[in-house]
Structure formats: structure tokens, C-alpha cells
Amino acid sequence: MVYRYKILVASIVVGVISSHLCIKNLAWAVESKQQIQEVQNIQQEEADQLYENGETYSNQGEFASAIDLYQEALTLYRTIGDVSGETNALYGIGHAYHGQGNYEKAIEVFQETLSLARRTNNSYRTWRTLVSIGAVYGRIGQFAQAVASNQEALSIVQRSGRPQDEQRVLTGSALTYTYLGEYEQAISLYQRALQLNHQIHTASSEDRAFQQRSESIILHNMGWAYELMQQLPLALENYQMSLEIDQELGDQSGQADSLNAIGFTQYKMGKLDDALLTLKQSLDLSQDLNDRDSLAYTLTSIGRVYAALKKTDEAWSAYQQALFILAGLNNLPEQRNVLSHLGDLLVQQNQPQLAILFYKRSVNVTESIRQDIRGLPIEQQQSYTNTIADTYRRLADLLLQQNRVLEAQQVLDLLKVQEIQDYLRRGVRGNEQTAQGVDLLAPERQISENYDALVQRAIESGRRLIELEAIPAENRTPEQQQEVLQLRQTQGQIKSAFNDFLAQPDVLSAIQQLQIPGVQAIDPSDLSAIQDKLYNLKQDVVLIYPLVLPDRLELVVMSPHSVPIHRSVAVTQIELNHAISDFLTALKDPTSDVKPSAQRLYNWLIKPIESELAQANAKTILYAPDRQLRYIPLAALHDGHQWLIERFRVNYITAVSLFNLDTRPQTQPHIIAGAFAEGRYNVQRGDYYNVFNGLPFARTEVQAIGALFPNTRELVDRAFTREATLPVMNDYNIVHLATHATFSTGAPEDSFIVFGDGNTVSLRDVGALTLRNVDMIVLSACQTAVSSLALGDGKEILGFGYQIQQSGARAAIASLWSVDDGGTEALMRQFYTQLRQPNLTKAAALQQAQIALIHGASTPEVQAHLTDLGEQPLNLIHPHYWSPFILIGNGL
């Protein structure tokens, strides 16, 4: 500013000198320009030096000092109009904010940097900034934005042909994929980045150091991906190689991160003493560097080790310190993990009410993240959430142990929504309740508010303390020094308050309220609403939710007139799976004695709740099975005297939150029926390959339906095509498909229905149809609902039912295993005969058809046709023939 003033005065003086001094005037003007240039050169040098000093401080982890220097450089760059320098300084400021953990400010500055870089066509700074933005978004759990930023950066560097640029982008992308749970994809990108890094030829020592630092980062992050895949020796190997490079470079920040990772891997390998020693080394370095990110992760790891050592007080303290740091950083993914760990610790301390609260908070953070990643491809959504079920099940398990059944039901609904999404690999529509996560009780809200107040106090004092401690002690004013001392004292008080949290009078009071028997998380009006819905069905409906846990089976029952109840059954998941396997083996062999295995499962699933069913005068069971229970037909359980279907109608639902049940007047069936009766087609979908032959009884089946309902549109073999069927399905209220269908336990796009000309339609395509007028879709042929004898967890069955409902159709009928062609024809003939009765529900019609076969009803046509084919008459009494067909959705 002083130089400008002098130049301005000189110009005024020149203006009043006589004309005969024009030559001298010109000389002064030239001299003034030279002075301007000199000033700019000085300012340029000063700005560059400030920027380089900022870089030095940033690399040393002294981010507050780095920001001050970058800001001074930024002011000078703007003064002299150096846009490139301005862009670099802005980037440095954003990077330093990121290092501080001030993610909101980092994104703000990076966005300003990106705008300037794009405006000036600075492609290098554009892609570097995009990678940095992606890294920040990944930290705070906004993965859709992270992926988009990385993809845009990759498209830029791939055009540049510079391996060093591409490896940096690949490293950032791989980290995001690691966050999302796509570990193999991440490792592939890391390995490619490592190859590119080795291809870079450097001459200067600075370039070699940068190349080494890049290699350390890649190795460290690849170790993390291996760790998450539970390949611990590979993880440890990568972490140790990264640490060796960090030590060679003297990179303390890198050493802290590597030591943290090594310590946590040692913990996972059961080397607890070694882990604690290593983690404390990491903690010391992180504290020296004032690296809040590293501090939080290391404290979390230390908490895990202390918990494993049964040192609960030390674990609690470590988790609490980590949590308030993470809250200040707004790091949602890691907050979710620490909250879940706190829940585990509180279970260990026999504090179930508080454990439930922390589990709930963890689940709700998870739900908020899932809301944020809706814009991602579903494969990435699924990968990110593929471990969520464990936390949900622990929460539901604990709620049931506390007799808080209605809350457990809410958690189970969220779990079932998640499992459907895992299978379908796309967003699943729940309702407002599922979108908001799990409700908190009033006492839980009170505890949360107290706890959050402590966290907020810690955040505010911690941020101010960081700002003041960034000022060297000798440069602080007396007032600042006094404030530092006060804040340090406050931090100590807050730490003590965290540790004494459980003993606070208002917290104790709230916990006592939670211990009152019968307290429910859902408002009584909500309970009334559910009971009213069951009552208004006017069909004596009872809702049964089984929950499969490692050590027991929990049965949750809701009826129109009583509060929800649950019963615990002392059977392990392994025992249950063996029983399910034995039952399925017997069901699939029509010559076997199935009753012993059917009665064994009845004793676990129905007998413990018989009195509740009797009190409710139950005639219809709404059934939401869990895990492998989805593979067995409830109808075929046996009480020692009769089959369950002889006592109850059975209607499968995907989850309480997804059942849209009401009773409507039964309309006259208007049917389109397709049949694949003749032909042989090779079908390949993804990795799945099979040969499908025509079903001889399919034609008879469709003709029988046509005889019962003369207005039926019949499509057989070559007339039964995608083009002839899909566009007109919504013109009918029943769609009957007598053809092969395979619902894979793998991907929904590999699940399909075969048409009469050999073409197929995938499960995903079915869900995309608009079938608002369709009341029921029937898949009557073999291999529907599952594709393998091996037990998965039944998500494909939920997925099939949900897809049908998603299209707008109210219900579907499918089979749980490959069914005899002749037996299917007999059952379907009985089913459609029952549908001719006025006001008979679909569930009731299916029940009556199954009972008819149990009591020996069969058609002469079936037996005659079997004779013509050289086959023996069928023993249709066996549940092999009548029980695999289940009704999913609204069969009422």
C-alpha cells in the first residue's frame, strides 16, 4: 500500500510540470512501471515463500499455523493477480482444514478452489481438488458425493497420460470403495495404483520422497481393506511395510496411523498386550501432532482392547473421548461404530437399558447414512450396509430380553427392509417409520439430551482449545493463556463427567423408568393402530414374527386384542438349521415319513404360543419368517394329530412395515394364463445355465382354469411370449404362469421366469412393471422362490414377494422347491375351484385346496394322464405335493 501511494504522488507531480519536460516525464513513467513490477516481484516472492512455509507446516501436521501462512499468501496472490497462486493457496487451506478434521470448512474452501480451477482451465488443480473433496465426503459418510468426485477426477487424469496423476486418483477412489465395503474392488484399484507408482521415474530427492509417501499411503489403505476382509496376516504385512516407509521419511503422522492399524490388527489376532503397547505409541504421536482424526481412531481401538481385557472403566473412558472428537468432526461412519461398541460394553457391564439406547443411536446414525447414499448404485449401497444386520439383531435380541416386544418388532421391520435391499440391490420403499430409524422412549430421549449436552460442551471447548494451542505459548496474550488454562480444566471436568455419566441422578432416574415392566417405545396409539388393523381384517388374524438368534429362537406374537408377547425357545441356530434341513429332505421325497421332523419344528415354532393362538381364536396366521425359516412351509408343520394348514390359513408377509393389508370384496376372477408345455430351451443368466423342458401338465392346467372361468385368456407355448404377456398383464386381476421360474439365492437379475418361446424376464424387470389392477400372480411351476438345495438365508423369497408388491400386485403364489408337474395341476385345479366360491379369500382358497389333497382329492384327468405317460399314480396326500405353495403379500 505504501508503494502505491508513492507512485500515485509521483504521477500527480508529473501532471503539473511544464511541457518542455515531456521527455523527463516519460522517463518517470517508465520508472514507475518498473517500480510496480519490482513491487509485484517482491510480493510474488513473499507470497511464494509464505505458501512454501505453509506446505512445510501442513506436512508436519501443524495445520493451524499452515492455515495462517496460506491465508497470508492468498491475500498477496490476490493483490498481484496471480490466479494460479490463489488456487494453490486455497487448496492448501482446504487441505489443512481437512487435516484438522474441520470437514465442513474443508469442503467449503475446496469448492471455492474447484470453481476457480475450472474457470481458469487448470486441469491439474481441478482433479486434485476433486480427489480431496471425495476424501472429505468419504470421511463424513456422504459416499454418493465421494464417488461422483472421484469418477470426475479419474476421467480428467486418464486423458493426461501421467501415471503419477492416475495413481493418486485411484488411491482416493479405492478408499471410498473401502468405506462402502467393496473390498475386492478397492484392493484391485490399490494394486493398480501401486503399479503406476513404481512406473514413475524421479530424479530429485523431493520427488522420490513424495513417491515413497504415496507408496506408504497405498500400502496402509490396502492393509485396511485386507483387515476388513478378515485377511489379517496380509493386513499386518501391508501395515508394517507402510510403517517402515514412514519411519524412513520421518513422517510422524503416517507413523501414528500405521501404529494404530498394526495395534488394532494385533487386537483382532488376540495379541492384546502387544496391541495395547502399539496403540499407546500411536496415541502419543497423535497427541503430539494434535491430529484429532488419528486420536479418535486410536482411542476407539484402545477401547476395544480394554473391553476385551474386561477393563470396562478404561474402555468406557477411551470410547467417550473418541466419541466427542468424532462428533466434533461430524464423522458419522465412525460415530456409528463407537456407539455400537458402547452398547456392547454396557451389555458387558449389565446395563441393558443404556445398552439399548446406544444401540438405537447407532442404528439411527446408520439409517441417516443410508438415506444419504440413495443416489449410489445399489451394489455400493448393499456393500456398505452388508454388516448392519448384526447390530440390528443384537438390539432386537436385547429388547426381547427386556420384554420390550413392540420395539423389537420395529427393529425387525428395519432389518427385513435391509435384507430385501441386500437381495434386490436397489432402494426399497419402507414407510415413514423405517425412514426415521428406531424410536426413543421418553426416558431415553432425556438421557440422550444429557449426553448430547456433554458432547456439545466437549466439542465447543475442544475447538477453542485447539485454536489457542496453535499459538506458540510465548506469543499468547495473558488473556489467551488464562483461557487455555481454563479450557484445559474444563476438558478434565468433561472427561470426569463422561466417566461419571451413569451415576448422574437424572440418568439414574431415567434408567429406573426404563426398568418399569411393560414400557414400550411406540406410543400406545400406535399399538392401537396395529391392533385395529388386525381387528378390522375381521378374519381372526394373529401376526407371528420368529427371530433366529445364535443361542435361541424368539417368537413374537401380536393379536387384535392383547399386548404383544414373546416366547423364548431354547434351540440354537445350528440345531434349528439341522432340523430345517432334515424337514426339507423329507418334504422333497414323496415316499418319506415327514411327520417326525414336521412335529419337531412345530414344537419349537407353534407349541410355545398355542395358548395365545387359542385366546385370540386365531384362524389366519400372518407370518414373517426369519433367516432359514423362510425355506420351510409353515402349512406342513404337524402337531401329532393334524397338519397346521388344517387349523390355520397362512399368509406370508415381508415385514409388518411392508404389509398393506385390508379386506376388499372379492371380485370375479379375470385371468390371463400362460403355459410352457412343449419345447426345450437353453437359458443362461449371468453365471447360471440350465436346460428347460416343457411341462406336460401345464397345458392341462391352463385348460382347466379356462374351463372354470370361460373368460380366461389362454397363451400356450409359442403364443406365450414376453410381447404377448407383459404389456397386457395389468388388464387382468389374476396372472397365472404355468412355466419354469428360477429365483436365485444370488443376484435378482439372475432370477427369471421362462416364456413358452424360451425367452425370459428377470425378477428386477417384474418389479418395474405397473400392475396396479392385478390382485394375484401365480407361478405354479418348478424352481420358484429358491434355486438350490443349499440353505442360504431366504432373502430371495422376501425379494420375490416384495418385487410383486412393488409392481402394484397385491399377492403372489410360488413354490419353495421343484414340484411334481401332475401334483401341481391337481392343486391348482382345486385352488381355482375354490376361487369360484363368493367372498372366499385367496388364503382361504389355498388352504381349502391343500386340505382337499390331504384328504385324498385328485382328479381322474391327472391320474389318467399319468397312466398315459407310463407314470405311477401320485400319492397327493404327502405334503411334498401340496405344501410348497406359499402365498406372499395380501391374501386377505
Side-chain angles (χ1 to χ4, degrees), residues 374-426:
R374 283 178 170 179
L376 287 173
I378 191 60
E379 292 80 5
Q380 293 169 13
Q381 294 185 43
Q382 177 199 6
S383 297
Y384 179 71
T385 55
N386 62 1
T387 59
I388 288 174
D390 291 338
T391 302
Y392 285 39
R393 287 181 186 279
R394 287 202 300 273
L395 175 54
D397 179 9
L398 199 54
L399 286 165
L400 288 171
Q401 290 181 38
Q402 298 300 306
N403 291 314
R404 292 162 65 173
V405 178
L406 202 56
E407 293 170 83
Q409 175 217 305
Q410 189 183 28
V411 176
L412 291 174
D413 279 354
L414 287 171
L415 173 60
K416 291 183 189 303
V417 170
Q418 179 60 45
E419 289 180 321
I420 296 169
Q421 177 167 299
D422 286 347
Y423 177 66
L424 296 178
R425 300 185 183 179
R426 66 170 178 75

Coordinates of all heavy atoms in Angstrom, one line a residue, residues 374-426:
R374 N -28.6 -43.0 -1.1 CA -29.6 -43.5 -2.1 C -29.2 -43.2 -3.5 O -29.6 -43.9 -4.4 CB -30.9 -42.8 -1.8 CG -31.7 -43.3 -0.6 CD -32.9 -42.6 -0.3 NE -33.8 -43.2 0.7 CZ -34.9 -42.8 1.1 NH1 -35.4 -41.7 0.5 NH2 -35.6 -43.4 2.0
G375 N -28.4 -42.2 -3.8 CA -28.0 -41.9 -5.1 C -27.0 -42.8 -5.7 O -26.7 -42.7 -6.9
L376 N -26.4 -43.7 -4.9 CA -25.4 -44.6 -5.4 C -26.0 -45.8 -6.1 O -27.1 -46.1 -5.8 CB -24.5 -45.1 -4.2 CG -23.5 -44.1 -3.5 CD1 -22.9 -44.8 -2.3 CD2 -22.5 -43.8 -4.5
P377 N -25.2 -46.4 -7.0 CA -25.7 -47.7 -7.5 C -25.9 -48.7 -6.3 O -25.2 -48.7 -5.3 CB -24.5 -48.2 -8.3 CG -23.7 -46.9 -8.7 CD -23.9 -46.0 -7.5
I378 N -26.9 -49.5 -6.5 CA -27.4 -50.3 -5.4 C -26.3 -51.3 -4.9 O -26.3 -51.7 -3.8 CB -28.7 -51.1 -5.7 CG1 -29.3 -51.7 -4.5 CG2 -28.5 -52.1 -6.8 CD1 -29.6 -50.8 -3.4
E379 N -25.4 -51.7 -5.8 CA -24.3 -52.6 -5.4 C -23.5 -52.0 -4.3 O -23.0 -52.6 -3.4 CB -23.4 -53.0 -6.6 CG -24.1 -53.9 -7.7 CD -25.0 -53.1 -8.6 OE1 -25.1 -51.8 -8.5 OE2 -25.7 -53.7 -9.4
Q380 N -23.3 -50.7 -4.5 CA -22.5 -50.0 -3.5 C -23.3 -49.7 -2.2 O -22.7 -49.8 -1.1 CB -22.0 -48.6 -4.0 CG -21.0 -48.9 -5.2 CD -20.7 -47.6 -5.9 OE1 -21.0 -46.5 -5.5 NE2 -20.0 -47.7 -7.1
Q381 N -24.6 -49.5 -2.3 CA -25.4 -49.4 -1.1 C -25.4 -50.7 -0.4 O -25.3 -50.7 0.9 CB -26.9 -49.0 -1.5 CG -27.0 -47.6 -2.2 CD -28.5 -47.3 -2.4 OE1 -29.3 -47.6 -1.6 NE2 -28.8 -46.8 -3.6
Q382 N -25.5 -51.8 -1.1 CA -25.6 -53.1 -0.5 C -24.3 -53.4 0.3 O -24.3 -53.8 1.4 CB -25.9 -54.2 -1.5 CG -25.9 -55.6 -0.9 CD -25.7 -56.6 -1.9 OE1 -25.4 -56.3 -3.1 NE2 -25.7 -57.9 -1.5
S383 N -23.1 -53.1 -0.4 CA -21.8 -53.4 0.2 C -21.7 -52.6 1.5 O -21.2 -53.1 2.5 CB -20.7 -53.0 -0.8 OG -20.8 -53.9 -1.9
Y384 N -22.1 -51.3 1.5 CA -21.9 -50.5 2.6 C -22.7 -51.0 3.8 O -22.3 -51.0 5.0 CB -22.3 -49.1 2.3 CG -22.2 -48.2 3.6 CD1 -20.9 -47.8 4.0 CD2 -23.3 -47.8 4.3 CE1 -20.8 -47.1 5.2 CE2 -23.2 -47.0 5.4 CZ -21.9 -46.6 5.8 OH -21.7 -45.9 7.0
T385 N -23.9 -51.6 3.6 CA -24.8 -51.9 4.7 C -24.8 -53.4 4.9 O -25.6 -53.9 5.7 CB -26.2 -51.5 4.3 OG1 -26.6 -52.0 3.1 CG2 -26.3 -50.0 4.3
N386 N -23.8 -54.2 4.4 CA -24.0 -55.6 4.5 C -23.6 -56.2 5.9 O -23.8 -57.4 6.1 CB -23.1 -56.3 3.4 CG -21.6 -56.0 3.6 OD1 -21.2 -55.3 4.5 ND2 -20.8 -56.5 2.7
T387 N -23.1 -55.4 6.8 CA -22.9 -55.9 8.1 C -23.9 -55.3 9.2 O -23.8 -55.5 10.3 CB -21.5 -55.5 8.6 OG1 -21.3 -54.1 8.6 CG2 -20.4 -56.2 7.7
I388 N -24.8 -54.5 8.7 CA -25.7 -53.8 9.6 C -26.6 -54.8 10.3 O -27.0 -54.6 11.5 CB -26.6 -52.8 8.8 CG1 -25.8 -51.7 8.3 CG2 -27.8 -52.4 9.6 CD1 -26.5 -50.7 7.4
A389 N -27.0 -55.9 9.7 CA -27.9 -56.8 10.3 C -27.4 -57.3 11.7 O -28.3 -57.5 12.6 CB -28.1 -58.0 9.4
D390 N -26.1 -57.4 11.9 CA -25.6 -57.9 13.2 C -26.0 -56.9 14.3 O -26.5 -57.3 15.4 CB -24.1 -58.0 13.2 CG -23.7 -59.2 12.3 OD1 -24.5 -60.1 12.1 OD2 -22.5 -59.1 11.8
T391 N -25.8 -55.6 14.1 CA -26.2 -54.6 15.1 C -27.7 -54.6 15.4 O -28.2 -54.6 16.5 CB -25.8 -53.2 14.7 OG1 -24.4 -53.2 14.5 CG2 -26.1 -52.2 15.8
Y392 N -28.5 -54.7 14.3 CA -29.9 -54.7 14.4 C -30.4 -56.0 15.2 O -31.3 -55.9 16.1 CB -30.6 -54.8 13.0 CG -30.6 -53.5 12.3 CD1 -29.5 -52.6 12.3 CD2 -31.7 -53.1 11.5 CE1 -29.5 -51.4 11.6 CE2 -31.7 -51.9 10.8 CZ -30.6 -51.1 10.9 OH -30.5 -49.9 10.2
R393 N -29.8 -57.1 15.0 CA -30.2 -58.3 15.7 C -29.8 -58.2 17.1 O -30.5 -58.7 18.0 CB -29.5 -59.5 15.0 CG -30.1 -59.9 13.7 CD -29.5 -61.1 13.1 NE -30.0 -61.4 11.8 CZ -31.2 -62.0 11.5 NH1 -31.9 -62.4 12.5 NH2 -31.6 -62.2 10.3
R394 N -28.6 -57.7 17.4 CA -28.2 -57.5 18.8 C -29.2 -56.6 19.6 O -29.6 -56.9 20.7 CB -26.8 -56.9 19.0 CG -25.7 -57.9 18.6 CD -24.4 -57.5 19.2 NE -23.9 -56.2 18.8 CZ -23.2 -56.0 17.7 NH1 -22.9 -57.0 16.9 NH2 -22.8 -54.8 17.3
L395 N -29.6 -55.6 18.9 CA -30.6 -54.7 19.5 C -32.0 -55.4 19.7 O -32.6 -55.3 20.8 CB -30.8 -53.4 18.6 CG -31.9 -52.4 19.1 CD1 -31.7 -52.0 20.5 CD2 -31.9 -51.2 18.2
A396 N -32.4 -56.1 18.7 CA -33.7 -56.8 18.8 C -33.6 -57.8 19.9 O -34.5 -58.0 20.7 CB -34.1 -57.4 17.5
D397 N -32.5 -58.5 19.9 CA -32.3 -59.6 21.0 C -32.4 -59.0 22.4 O -33.1 -59.5 23.2 CB -30.9 -60.2 20.7 CG -30.5 -61.3 21.8 OD1 -31.4 -61.7 22.5 OD2 -29.4 -61.7 21.8
L398 N -31.7 -57.8 22.6 CA -31.7 -57.2 23.9 C -33.1 -56.7 24.3 O -33.5 -56.8 25.4 CB -30.7 -56.1 23.9 CG -30.2 -55.6 25.3 CD1 -29.6 -56.7 26.1 CD2 -29.1 -54.5 25.1
L399 N -33.8 -56.1 23.3 CA -35.1 -55.6 23.6 C -36.1 -56.8 24.0 O -36.9 -56.7 24.9 CB -35.7 -54.9 22.3 CG -35.1 -53.6 22.1 CD1 -35.5 -53.1 20.6 CD2 -35.6 -52.5 23.1
L400 N -35.9 -57.9 23.3 CA -36.8 -59.1 23.7 C -36.4 -59.6 25.1 O -37.3 -60.0 25.8 CB -36.6 -60.2 22.6 CG -37.3 -59.9 21.3 CD1 -36.9 -60.9 20.2 CD2 -38.8 -59.8 21.4
Q401 N -35.1 -59.6 25.4 CA -34.8 -60.0 26.7 C -35.4 -59.1 27.8 O -35.6 -59.5 28.9 CB -33.2 -60.0 26.9 CG -32.5 -61.0 26.1 CD -31.0 -61.0 26.3 OE1 -30.5 -60.7 27.4 NE2 -30.3 -61.2 25.2
Q402 N -35.6 -57.8 27.4 CA -36.2 -56.9 28.4 C -37.7 -56.8 28.2 O -38.4 -55.9 28.8 CB -35.6 -55.5 28.1 CG -34.1 -55.4 28.4 CD -33.8 -55.7 29.8 OE1 -34.3 -55.2 30.7 NE2 -32.8 -56.7 30.0
N403 N -38.3 -57.8 27.4 CA -39.8 -57.8 27.2 C -40.3 -56.6 26.5 O -41.5 -56.3 26.7 CB -40.5 -58.1 28.5 CG -40.3 -59.5 29.1 OD1 -40.3 -60.4 28.3 ND2 -39.9 -59.5 30.4
R404 N -39.5 -55.9 25.8 CA -39.9 -54.7 25.0 C -40.2 -55.1 23.6 O -39.5 -54.9 22.7 CB -38.9 -53.6 25.1 CG -38.7 -53.1 26.6 CD -37.5 -52.4 26.9 NE -37.3 -51.1 26.1 CZ -36.4 -50.2 26.3 NH1 -35.5 -50.4 27.3 NH2 -36.3 -49.1 25.6
V405 N -41.3 -55.9 23.5 CA -41.6 -56.6 22.2 C -41.9 -55.7 21.1 O -41.4 -55.9 19.9 CB -42.8 -57.6 22.5 CG1 -43.1 -58.3 21.2 CG2 -42.4 -58.6 23.6
L406 N -42.7 -54.6 21.3 CA -43.1 -53.8 20.2 C -41.9 -53.0 19.6 O -41.8 -52.8 18.4 CB -44.1 -52.8 20.7 CG -45.0 -52.2 19.7 CD1 -45.8 -53.2 18.9 CD2 -46.0 -51.2 20.3
E407 N -41.0 -52.6 20.5 CA -39.7 -52.0 20.0 C -38.9 -53.0 19.2 O -38.4 -52.7 18.1 CB -38.9 -51.5 21.1 CG -39.5 -50.4 21.9 CD -38.7 -50.1 23.2 OE1 -37.7 -49.4 23.1 OE2 -39.1 -50.6 24.2
A408 N -38.9 -54.3 19.6 CA -38.1 -55.3 18.9 C -38.8 -55.5 17.5 O -38.1 -55.7 16.5 CB -38.2 -56.6 19.7
Q409 N -40.1 -55.4 17.5 CA -40.8 -55.6 16.2 C -40.4 -54.5 15.2 O -40.1 -54.7 14.0 CB -42.3 -55.5 16.4 CG -43.1 -55.6 15.1 CD -44.3 -54.7 15.2 OE1 -45.1 -54.9 16.1 NE2 -44.5 -53.7 14.3
Q410 N -40.2 -53.2 15.8 CA -39.8 -52.1 14.9 C -38.4 -52.3 14.4 O -38.2 -52.1 13.2 CB -39.9 -50.8 15.8 CG -39.7 -49.6 14.9 CD -39.6 -48.3 15.8 OE1 -39.2 -48.4 17.0 NE2 -40.0 -47.2 15.3
V411 N -37.5 -52.8 15.2 CA -36.2 -53.1 14.7 C -36.2 -54.2 13.7 O -35.5 -54.2 12.7 CB -35.3 -53.5 15.9 CG1 -33.9 -53.9 15.4 CG2 -35.2 -52.4 16.9
L412 N -37.0 -55.3 13.9 CA -37.1 -56.4 12.9 C -37.6 -55.9 11.6 O -37.2 -56.3 10.5 CB -38.0 -57.5 13.5 CG -37.5 -58.2 14.7 CD1 -38.6 -59.2 15.2 CD2 -36.3 -59.0 14.3
D413 N -38.6 -54.9 11.6 CA -39.0 -54.3 10.4 C -37.9 -53.7 9.6 O -37.7 -53.9 8.4 CB -40.1 -53.3 10.6 CG -41.5 -53.9 10.9 OD1 -41.6 -55.1 10.7 OD2 -42.4 -53.1 11.2
L414 N -37.1 -52.9 10.3 CA -35.9 -52.3 9.7 C -35.0 -53.3 9.1 O -34.4 -53.2 8.0 CB -35.2 -51.4 10.7 CG -35.9 -50.1 11.1 CD1 -35.1 -49.4 12.2 CD2 -36.0 -49.1 9.9
L415 N -34.8 -54.4 9.9 CA -33.9 -55.4 9.4 C -34.4 -56.1 8.2 O -33.7 -56.4 7.2 CB -33.7 -56.5 10.5 CG -33.0 -57.8 10.2 CD1 -31.5 -57.4 9.8 CD2 -33.0 -58.7 11.4
K416 N -35.7 -56.3 8.1 CA -36.3 -57.0 6.9 C -36.2 -56.1 5.7 O -36.0 -56.6 4.6 CB -37.7 -57.5 7.2 CG -37.8 -58.6 8.2 CD -39.2 -59.1 8.5 CE -39.2 -60.1 9.6 NZ -38.3 -61.2 9.5
V417 N -36.4 -54.8 5.9 CA -36.2 -53.9 4.8 C -34.8 -53.9 4.3 O -34.5 -54.0 3.1 CB -36.6 -52.4 5.3 CG1 -36.1 -51.4 4.2 CG2 -38.0 -52.3 5.5
Q418 N -33.9 -54.0 5.2 CA -32.4 -54.1 4.9 C -32.1 -55.3 4.1 O -31.4 -55.3 3.1 CB -31.6 -54.0 6.1 CG -30.1 -54.1 5.8 CD -29.6 -53.0 4.9 OE1 -30.0 -51.8 5.1 NE2 -28.9 -53.3 3.9
E419 N -32.7 -56.5 4.6 CA -32.4 -57.7 3.9 C -33.0 -57.8 2.5 O -32.4 -58.4 1.6 CB -32.9 -58.9 4.8 CG -32.1 -59.1 6.0 CD -32.6 -60.2 6.9 OE1 -33.8 -60.4 7.0 OE2 -31.8 -60.9 7.5
I420 N -34.2 -57.2 2.3 CA -34.7 -57.2 1.0 C -33.8 -56.3 0.1 O -33.5 -56.7 -1.1 CB -36.2 -56.6 1.0 CG1 -37.1 -57.5 1.8 CG2 -36.7 -56.4 -0.4 CD1 -38.4 -56.8 2.1
Q421 N -33.4 -55.2 0.6 CA -32.5 -54.3 -0.2 C -31.2 -55.1 -0.5 O -30.7 -55.0 -1.6 CB -32.2 -53.1 0.6 CG -31.2 -52.1 -0.1 CD -31.1 -50.8 0.5 OE1 -32.1 -50.1 0.5 NE2 -30.0 -50.4 1.0
D422 N -30.6 -55.8 0.5 CA -29.4 -56.6 0.2 C -29.6 -57.5 -1.0 O -28.7 -57.7 -1.8 CB -29.0 -57.4 1.4 CG -28.5 -56.6 2.5 OD1 -28.1 -55.4 2.3 OD2 -28.3 -57.1 3.7
Y423 N -30.8 -58.2 -1.1 CA -31.0 -59.1 -2.2 C -31.3 -58.4 -3.5 O -30.8 -58.7 -4.5 CB -32.1 -60.1 -1.8 CG -32.5 -61.0 -2.9 CD1 -31.5 -61.9 -3.3 CD2 -33.6 -60.9 -3.6 CE1 -31.8 -62.8 -4.4 CE2 -33.9 -61.8 -4.7 CZ -33.0 -62.7 -5.1 OH -33.2 -63.5 -6.1
L424 N -32.2 -57.4 -3.4 CA -32.6 -56.8 -4.7 C -31.6 -55.8 -5.2 O -31.6 -55.5 -6.4 CB -33.9 -56.0 -4.4 CG -35.2 -56.9 -4.1 CD1 -36.4 -56.0 -3.8 CD2 -35.4 -57.9 -5.2
R425 N -30.7 -55.3 -4.3 CA -29.6 -54.4 -4.7 C -30.2 -53.1 -5.3 O -29.7 -52.6 -6.3 CB -28.7 -55.1 -5.7 CG -28.0 -56.3 -5.1 CD -27.0 -56.8 -6.1 NE -26.4 -58.1 -5.5 CZ -25.5 -58.8 -6.2 NH1 -25.0 -58.4 -7.3 NH2 -25.0 -59.9 -5.6
R426 N -31.2 -52.6 -4.7 CA -31.7 -51.3 -5.0 C -32.5 -50.8 -3.9 O -32.9 -51.6 -2.9 CB -32.6 -51.4 -6.3 CG -33.9 -52.1 -6.1 CD -34.8 -51.9 -7.4 NE -36.0 -52.6 -7.3 CZ -37.0 -52.3 -6.5 NH1 -37.0 -51.3 -5.7 NH2 -38.1 -53.1 -6.5

